[in-house]
Amino acid sequence: ELKVEQNPLFLSMQEGKNYTIYCNYSTTSDRLYWYRQDPGKSLESLFVLLSNGAVKQEGRLMASLDTKARLSTLHITAAVHDLSATYFCAPVPGAGSYQLTFGKGTKLSVIP
Amino acid sequence: AAGVIQSPRHLIKEKRETATLKCYPIPRHDTVYWYQQGPGQDPQFLISFYEKMQSDKGSIPDRFSAQQFSDYHSELNMSSLELGDSALYFCASSPYDSFSGNTIYFGEGSWLTVV
């Protein structure tokens, strides 16, 4: 069974600062997704990471994947208030699986 | 761009009643997924369908059933509702070749409250 651990679960940071969210998972996964969720809203896709060493960037967010370490990171650069949300990582167990296994989420609050 | 459409957006049911949620995937998406998200929780995978056949099954209670129809829309039927079924239910869709890393898109969700 695939287990996913995200940390931190809560993150309060000042605008302009940098920080990294970590996502560890327990078994082999061939792809990993990052989602953003505002309270009571849908899950917005941020990144899909497919291979070891994959790095993707969009605006102030950059995600990476290390399949050997079973680790993905979401790096926030020069945070702004609009980035306040809950961020989920979700690896998929392996080929043939359709399940996203979500972490507990990291609730990010960016303080002006 | 078209998104995943879910209905109803909100519903209130009493214990032991039945509820049906509907999901219309993005056009040309043939894979549909259902997730349940309790208050303050992460989404939990329930079930998925590809080309009208069940493709994967997660923690879906036996009281729940789902299917995908010929027009690719899907319905989640929930019977003998319990208070613990109160949650936000998401439908998601993707093209079949999600193995290549296509995005899985989520709908706005259906809020179910069981009283």
Side-chain angles (χ1 to χ4, degrees), chain B residues 49-65:
Chain B
F49 293 88
Y50 164 66
E51 285 291 343
K52 293 147 279 184
M53 298 290 290
Q54 180 182 307
S55 54
D56 210 348
K57 188 174 181 179
S59 52
I60 184 169
D62 292 339
R63 300 177 288 108
F64 293 8
S65 64

Side-chain angles (χ1 to χ4, degrees), chain A residues 30-31 33 35 37 40-43 45 48 50 88 94-105, chain B residues 31 33 35 37 42-43 45 48 55-58 90 96 98-104 106-108 111:
Chain A
D30 64 355
R31 59 198 188 281
Y33 296 75
Y35 284 89
Q37 186 177 38
K41 302 295 186 182
S42 182
L43 292 147
S45 177
V48 182
L50 294 179
F88 291 97
S97 174
Y98 293 80
Q99 295 188 34
L100 293 174
T101 302
F102 285 85
K104 295 298 182 188
Chain B
T31 304
Y33 316 77
Y35 285 81
Q37 186 177 28
D42 53 290
F45 174 75
S48 63
S55 54
D56 210 348
K57 188 174 181 179
F90 286 110
Y96 172 66
S98 61
F99 302 124
S100 66
N102 283 322
T103 298
I104 299 173
F106 282 75
E108 294 294 317
W111 282 97

Side-chain angles (χ1 to χ4, degrees), chain A residues 73-91:
Chain A
T73 62
L74 180 66
H75 186 72
I76 303 158
T77 301
V80 294
H81 181 67
D82 286 351
L83 290 180
S84 297
T86 297
Y87 293 84
F88 291 97
C89 67

Side-chain angles (χ1 to χ4, degrees), chain B residues 29-111:
Chain B
H29 283 193
D30 45 23
T31 304
V32 169
Y33 316 77
W34 287 97
Y35 285 81
Q36 178 193 57
Q37 186 177 28
Q41 303 295 314
D42 53 290
Q44 296 291 315
F45 174 75
L46 295 178
I47 197 166
S48 63
F49 293 88
Y50 164 66
E51 285 291 343
K52 293 147 279 184
M53 298 290 290
Q54 180 182 307
S55 54
D56 210 348
K57 188 174 181 179
S59 52
I60 184 169
D62 292 339
R63 300 177 288 108
F64 293 8
S65 64
Q67 57 181 326
Q68 186 180 30
F69 295 86
S70 57
D71 64 351
Y72 296 102
H73 94 273
S74 179
E75 295 184 4
L76 177 66
N77 299 293
M78 300 174 285
S79 63
S80 302
L81 288 169
E82 302 173 355
L83 295 178
D85 296 328
S86 296
L88 183 55
Y89 290 82
F90 286 110
C91 175
S93 75
S94 71
Y96 172 66
D97 58 343
S98 61
F99 302 124
S100 66
N102 283 322
T103 298
I104 299 173
Y105 294 91
F106 282 75
E108 294 294 317
S110 292
W111 282 97

